[in-house]
Amino acid sequence: MAKNELSKIEQEKALAEFQQGVATFDGDNSLSLGRAAMCYGTPEEEQMYGAIGAKRGVLIDTMEKRGLASTKIVPLYGWEDRCCWPKGEKAPTYVYKFKDYNKIPAGHSDWSDDGKGGRVPPIASIRYNFVCFVEGEQFPYLFTFKRTSAKAGEFIRTMEARRATRKMGTAMYVLKLIDDKTSEGKAYKRLVAEVVGDCPADMVPMVVTARKQTAVLSAVAEQMSTEHAGEVEEEVPF
């Protein structure tokens, strides 16, 4: 048997654990957690990642400053929150998870009019945070979907909830940029997520192993989600 090949019993055990629901949404850790960002091809990104030749539509490891192997991801753990993070500040004013939304100041979760026919987003913007494996990468990454990418995060959350009720295990998703326009007609690139299929069989054991360390991963991820990731952190979706 090859070194990395699992026995039939090991495969069946891993699959049984996997089907219980790998992507939960709500220690000494052998898994390091990275941070990923989608390259939109902006001048700021060119300045930050130009040395590695990053192109629009490529996922970037913001710590190692390199392109990731793929834009396909498998979520392990996720949570929703609302974050008040003033532009230019290195830390948020507050972050409340779903169960604590009643603590958000009145009006901070509401959209408003700008008086010119446009819409002003809430002071406390919604975020969908996921710890994910990226196809072809050894360690998991933190993805924070917010602002124009929030619908992509909401889509992943919804699909994983449906799959969990059917004991299907988590899915693999591909992230991509599409052309879109704001309500004022301004063109921009919007990030979307699409289901590719089930989690690949060769990734199931790795995902199951990481799932056993959810308590540690979640603590690290939630701390990272409140830290400034770089000079233009507030401008990038994750």
Side-chain angles (χ1 to χ4, degrees):
M1 185 170 66
K3 183 177 179 181
N4 295 324
E5 185 178 347
L6 296 176
S7 69
K8 183 177 180 180
I9 294 178
E10 289 173 325
Q11 289 178 343
E12 291 177 348
K13 183 179 179 181
L15 182 59
E17 293 184 26
F18 174 75
Q19 290 175 332
Q20 291 175 11
V22 175
T24 57
F25 196 87
D26 168 276
D28 178 28
N29 185 19
S30 61
L31 291 173
S32 63
L33 183 61
R35 191 161 191 161
M38 174 66 76
C39 181
Y40 278 62
T42 65
E44 292 87 353
E45 290 170 326
E46 184 175 343
Q47 182 177 359
M48 293 176 68
Y49 309 119
I52 62 174
K55 297 180 179 180
R56 178 180 295 167
V58 173
L59 284 177
I60 301 296
D61 182 315
T62 63
M63 296 180 181
E64 297 183 16
K65 298 293 190 296
R66 65 177 178 85
L68 296 181
S70 171
T71 56
K72 295 178 181 178
I73 62 173
V74 175
L76 303 171
Y77 166 80
W79 76 97
E80 173 188 327
D81 62 29
R82 279 193 176 271
C83 175
C84 175
W85 198 327
K87 188 172 183 178
E89 296 296 325
K90 292 186 177 297
T93 303
Y94 61 76
V95 177
Y96 289 119
K97 297 181 72 172
F98 182 77
K99 64 183 179 63
D100 295 320
Y101 276 5
N102 63 314
K103 298 179 182 179
I104 298 174
H108 280 209
S109 301
D110 303 328
W111 284 77
S112 59
D113 296 324
D114 64 1
K116 302 177 182 178
R119 300 280 284 165
V120 178
I123 294 174
S125 58
I126 194 167
R127 307 189 307 177
Y128 297 98
N129 307 275
F130 286 94
V131 174
C132 305
F133 272 115
V134 177
E135 183 183 47
E137 297 291 339
Q138 185 177 3
F139 301 111
Y141 285 85
L142 171 64
F143 290 79
T144 297
F145 299 89
K146 58 188 179 183
R147 299 180 182 174
T148 59
S149 69
K151 288 188 179 299
E154 182 180 26
F155 173 77
I156 294 174
R157 181 202 64 178
T158 301
M159 292 303 299
E160 288 303 303
R162 292 181 178 179
R163 293 176 67 89
T165 61
R166 301 170 186 168
K167 297 189 180 299
M168 296 174 65
T170 192
M172 172 175 273
Y173 302 83
V174 62
L175 303 178
K176 59 177 65 175
L177 297 175
I178 65 171
D179 293 318
D180 204 344
K181 291 185 178 181
T182 65
S183 58
E184 294 80 23
K186 184 179 179 180
Y188 73 102
K189 296 290 183 181
R190 180 166 62 88
L191 184 138
V192 297
E194 297 177 358
V195 176
V196 176
D198 294 336
C199 175
D202 61 350
M203 291 182 69
V204 169
M206 180 170 65
V207 171
V208 170
T209 297
R211 179 172 178 253
K212 294 177 180 178
Q213 301 179 52
T214 296
V216 176
L217 282 173
S218 63
V220 174
E222 289 176 29
Q223 176 61 35
M224 287 177 63
S225 73
T226 63
E227 296 173 346
H228 201 278
E231 294 178 1
V232 295
E233 192 279 336
E234 64 270 17
E235 299 301 330
V236 297
F238 42 64

